[in-house]
Amino acid sequence: MPDHPRFESLEGLRGTGKSTIAPMLAAARQAVLVPTVPALYQPLRAAVDQRTNADARMCLYLSALFTAAEEIQSHLDAGVPVVVESYFARCLATHQAMGARLGVTLPRRLPTPVTYYLVCGDDERRRRLAARDKPATQWDALIETVPDQVTDAYASFPMRRVDTTGRSPEEVLRVITETDRQGANSHADPEPVGAHPHLLPSVPRHTARASRP
């Protein structure tokens, strides 16, 4: 067992299982599930989501995340483990894909989670989204037009990939916990996805995609 409280985050496209797995992981870890959009931001979130300015939306979500990070750090300082359903990686990756032009460099003092990047086959992911009760926002619809750009943006972050395709929530949870104990799993990559595990990347000031080597 680690000698410090765990901080774990789930990332991934919509429909990969984040909202289902997060409370299960928190229960398994006896951790606090911290909302990364705190309650005081929810009314403003609803208002901003009705508009079309990606930079304004990104600023709102960054503010919410910095506020949540303070709560997360207070729990960790008290020795309490924390789980979150997405963190700064999702905010930066999705808004970059949706056209945000802000340059953002995150401070090193932020609590840094062990992150599990949930992936799911496209057909199954779309079936999951279609079965949801809550209506999709215009931003949800926009994200579905640029999934490859979101995936590319996510690739800069250090994450362990977990495939949820064809697996029950209980099976996905087991993959995560077994990966944590053993350092590897047949359905979870032992190495982080991102190339720089101690550096969270900035969002570039332009939206052109970088060429691959």
Side-chain angles (χ1 to χ4, degrees), residues 73-130:
Q73 189 61 63
S74 68
H75 286 302
L76 298 176
D77 289 344
V80 178
V82 173
V83 170
V84 296
E85 179 199 331
S86 78
Y87 196 48
F88 284 92
R90 185 182 187 188
C91 176
L92 297 183
T94 57
H95 285 93
Q96 177 179 336
M98 293 189 297
R101 296 175 177 270
L102 296 176
V104 177
T105 300
L106 299 177
R108 293 180 179 273
R109 62 178 172 76
L110 288 171
T112 302
V114 172
T115 303
Y116 301 96
Y117 178 51
L118 306 188
V119 299
C120 182
D122 194 57
D123 288 344
E124 182 171 334
R125 189 177 70 84
R126 292 185 183 280
R127 285 197 299 271
R128 293 178 183 180
L129 292 175

Side-chain angles (χ1 to χ4, degrees), residues 3-206:
D3 57 2
H4 52 82
R6 302 175 189 268
F7 176 28
E8 295 169 292
S9 175
L10 300 176
E11 297 286 351
L13 294 173
R14 296 173 62 245
T16 55
K18 299 184 300 299
S19 60
T20 298
I21 302 301
M24 296 173 63
L25 180 60
R29 302 298 200 201
Q30 297 185 330
V32 175
L33 181 62
V34 173
T36 48
V37 180
L40 67 95
Y41 284 89
Q42 292 297 342
L44 186 56
R45 175 188 186 181
V48 170
D49 274 353
Q50 294 177 15
R51 297 178 179 271
T52 59
N53 189 316
D55 290 325
R57 187 177 190 271
M58 181 176 174
C59 287
L60 171 68
Y61 277 78
L62 284 172
S63 178
L65 283 160
F66 280 117
T67 300
E70 293 181 352
E71 180 183 351
I72 290 165
Q73 189 61 63
S74 68
H75 286 302
L76 298 176
D77 289 344
V80 178
V82 173
V83 170
V84 296
E85 179 199 331
S86 78
Y87 196 48
F88 284 92
R90 185 182 187 188
C91 176
L92 297 183
T94 57
H95 285 93
Q96 177 179 336
M98 293 189 297
R101 296 175 177 270
L102 296 176
V104 177
T105 300
L106 299 177
R108 293 180 179 273
R109 62 178 172 76
L110 288 171
T112 302
V114 172
T115 303
Y116 301 96
Y117 178 51
L118 306 188
V119 299
C120 182
D122 194 57
D123 288 344
E124 182 171 334
R125 189 177 70 84
R126 292 185 183 280
R127 285 197 299 271
R128 293 178 183 180
L129 292 175
R132 285 185 173 180
D133 292 333
K134 63 180 181 181
T137 69
Q138 62 175 329
W139 296 99
D140 294 331
L142 178 57
I143 281 294
E144 290 306 309
T145 68
V146 289
D148 290 343
Q149 289 91 322
V150 176
T151 299
D152 288 348
Y154 260 137
S156 298
F157 293 86
M159 300 184 288
R160 297 185 182 277
R161 183 178 180 274
V162 177
D163 192 346
T164 69
T165 308
R167 291 181 171 79
S168 69
E170 292 76 16
E171 289 171 328
V172 174
L173 178 64
R174 185 165 59 251
V175 168
I176 291 173
T177 55
E178 288 180 357
T179 299
D180 179 71
R181 289 198 302 269
Q182 300 171 7
N185 186 283
S186 60
H187 301 295
D189 295 340
E191 295 299 324
V193 173
H196 306 289
H198 303 297
L199 179 64
L200 293 174
S202 63
V203 173
R205 295 183 183 278
H206 57 80

